[in-house]
Amino acid sequence: MDLYEHQARELFEEHGIVVPRAEVTDSPKKAREIARRLGGRVVVKAQVRTGGRGKAGGVKLAADPAAAELTARQMLGMDIKGHTVGTVMLARPVDIEEEFYVSYVLDRAAGRFLAIASAEGGMDIEEVAATRPEAVARVPVDPAEGVTPATASRIAEAAGLPPQTVDVLVRLWEVLVREDALLVEVNPLVRTRDGRITALDGKVTLDDNASFRRTRRGAGHETPQDPLEAAAAAKGLTYVKLDGEVGIIGNGAGLVMATLDVVAGCGARPANFLDIGGGASAQVMADGLSVILSDPSVRSVLVNVFGGITACDAVADGIVRALDTVRLTKPLVVRLDGNNAARGRAVLDAHAHPLVEQVPTMDGAASRAAHLATTP
C-alpha cells in the first residue's frame, strides 16, 4: 500500500527525522486558516499516490493566506496522472542550501535491499539517473545486518552526501524495518541554510503481507480513494479500477493479466483487474460481479475461469446468485474450463438469462466481450 506524502512524513517524524511543520485539508477556506497559522507563506502540495506532482502543477508556493486559498481551490479536484486530488498539504517553506536523493527499496531478485542515493536530488532525479548513472550510488544492504552508522557512512560517501546525512540514513532504515515497508524514499532531502538536514517530501510503500501487524497497532489499511475499489476492499476482493469498458473477472493473477492483454489485443480496454482467487466461493463470485456491474463505464463483462481449486459449477452458481440480486443491463460473456466445467455450463444454460452467453475458448470470449463493448 502506497502512503500519501503527509502519512509518510508522519512516520518520518515519529522516527526522529526533521520535517517542516505542515497540515492537511480538503477545504480551500481551511487552507487559508492553515497558512495563517504557519506564518502566511506556505508550499501547497497536492496529495496523490504518484510522483511527478511538481511538473504537473501539484506543488506551488503561495505568498500569503489568500494565495494559499486560491491555490488549494485550483488543485483540489485536478487530475495528476490519473489520480484525483482530494486533499492538499500546506507546509512551512525552508531556505534550501542543497538537495539530495535517498531511498531504500526491496531488491526481490537479489533477496536483499538496495540503498539508492545521489547528491543531486529534486524534480530531475530521473533524468540524472538516465543520463549520468554515475551520479547515483546503488549500495546493497544485507537485511540481516541492516543499516548501521558504518553502513550509512558508506552510502553517504558513495553518493557524495555530507556527513550530516548519516543519522537520517539510519533513521530511514528504521522506518523501513519497523513499519514493514518495501520502499522508503525522500526526494528531496535537503540541507537548509542553517545547516539542518530536513525531509521535504516522502514516499513510503507498506508491505500488504504485514497488514495484520499494523491492524494490531490500530493502523490497518486505509480505505481506497476510488469508491469501487473501496467497495471491493470491503468485500475482501483483489480489485483495481482501470480506464476501460470491459469488466474482467478471473481466478488467479496470471490468468487475469493474460485476459487483460487478450482483451486489449481485441481492440477494447479492460475496465478493471479482479482476481477471485484460487479457492473463491460462490459468494466471492457474486460480490465481484456486483462491484463490476456498478461501474458505469463497463459496457460488457468477461468472466474467464479455469477450474482448479475453484470449481466451475461454484463460479456459475455465483453468477446466478449475483443475477438474482443485481439487475443485469450489460452483456455477460462467460468462459468456463477445467474442474466441473460441464456442470457449470449446465447451471448457466438452465438459468437462461438473455444477456449471458457462453464461449468455450479464452480468445473467443475476449473477442466477443470486446465486440459487445465497442459496438454502438
Side-chain angles (χ1 to χ4, degrees):
M1 180 179 71
D2 294 330
L3 299 185
Y4 289 105
E5 177 195 1
H6 68 90
Q7 295 171 318
R9 287 162 48 98
E10 289 172 6
L11 291 183
F12 294 167
E13 195 168 21
E14 289 175 9
H15 289 273
I17 298 169
V18 177
V19 297
R21 185 181 166 193
E23 296 184 42
V24 180
T25 183
D26 60 0
S27 165
K29 289 185 178 180
K30 290 183 179 178
R32 177 191 284 259
E33 298 172 6
I34 292 171
R36 187 178 293 111
R37 285 197 295 271
L38 294 178
R41 186 168 175 263
V42 293
V43 179
V44 185
K45 308 180 78 173
Q47 296 299 283
V48 288
R49 295 186 178 106
T50 187
R53 291 173 303 165
K55 294 182 178 180
V59 179
K60 293 185 177 180
L61 182 66
D64 53 46
E69 178 179 353
L70 177 61
T71 303
R73 193 179 304 279
Q74 293 170 341
M75 282 188 189
L76 290 168
M78 72 183 294
D79 180 273
I80 299 179
K81 295 184 178 180
H83 297 257
T84 301
V85 179
T87 58
V88 294
M89 183 182 75
L90 292 89
R92 180 175 289 168
V94 300
D95 292 326
I96 300 172
E97 181 74 27
E98 291 182 279
E99 294 186 345
F100 317 115
Y101 173 91
V102 296
S103 71
Y104 295 114
V105 62
L106 176 63
D107 184 348
R108 294 183 185 276
R112 62 192 179 193
F113 283 89
L114 188 65
I116 304 175
S118 175
E120 301 181 36
M123 288 195 299
D124 296 324
I125 184 61
E126 290 87 357
E127 183 178 346
V128 170
T131 60
R132 292 188 298 108
E134 70 279 2
V136 181
R138 294 170 172 83
V139 180
V141 176
D142 182 348
E145 177 184 349
V147 176
T148 63
T151 306
S153 294
R154 289 198 300 272
I155 296 170
E157 183 178 356
L161 304 180
Q164 300 99 305
T165 61
V166 169
D167 180 65
V168 173
L169 289 170
V170 173
R171 292 178 185 275
L172 283 174
W173 177 259
E174 292 176 358
V175 172
L176 182 124
V177 173
R178 295 181 184 177
E179 304 299 334
D180 297 307
L182 301 175
L183 166 71
V184 173
E185 176 186 274
V186 181
N187 184 38
L189 179 71
V190 305
R191 178 162 60 187
T192 62
R193 295 192 188 280
D194 60 3
R196 294 204 303 171
I197 301 298
T198 304
L200 291 195
D201 200 349
K203 183 182 294 184
V204 174
T205 299
L206 301 180
D207 186 354
D208 286 340
N209 293 311
S211 60
F212 68 96
R213 279 199 287 263
R214 293 192 291 275
T215 300
R216 284 205 299 263
R217 294 200 299 266
H221 284 291
E222 180 181 313
T223 301
Q225 190 174 25
D226 184 272
L228 289 173
E229 292 185 353
K235 297 176 183 294
L237 298 173
T238 303
Y239 172 93
V240 178
K241 179 74 175 73
L242 302 174
D243 184 20
E245 58 280 333
V246 179
I248 306 291
I249 299 179
N251 62 323
L255 179 60
V256 177
M257 292 297 292
T259 306
L260 300 182
D261 289 341
V262 174
V263 167
C266 293
R269 298 174 303 164
N272 66 274
F273 172 103
L274 176 53
D275 174 16
I276 62 173
S281 65
Q283 183 61 52
V284 170
M285 182 65 223
D287 288 342
L289 192 54
S290 297
V291 170
I292 288 179
L293 290 175
S294 64
D295 183 350
S297 66
V298 168
R299 299 189 61 190
S300 71
V301 181
L302 171 58
V303 176
N304 185 21
V305 170
F306 186 86
I309 298 175
T310 305
C312 290
D313 55 342
V315 173
D317 183 50
I319 294 173
V320 170
R321 286 172 55 183
L323 296 178
D324 288 339
T325 58
V326 178
R327 181 170 175 266
L328 183 62
T329 57
K330 304 159 187 176
L332 178 65
V333 180
V334 182
R335 177 255 184 170
L336 299 177
D337 199 4
N339 183 14
N340 286 352
R343 293 183 187 176
R345 297 187 192 116
V347 169
L348 293 179
D349 286 339
H351 190 70
H353 194 288
L355 289 178
V356 177
E357 56 182 282
Q358 300 189 65
V359 179
T361 67
M362 175 174 169
D363 288 346
S367 177
R368 180 58 178 161
H371 174 76
L372 290 168
T374 57
T375 301

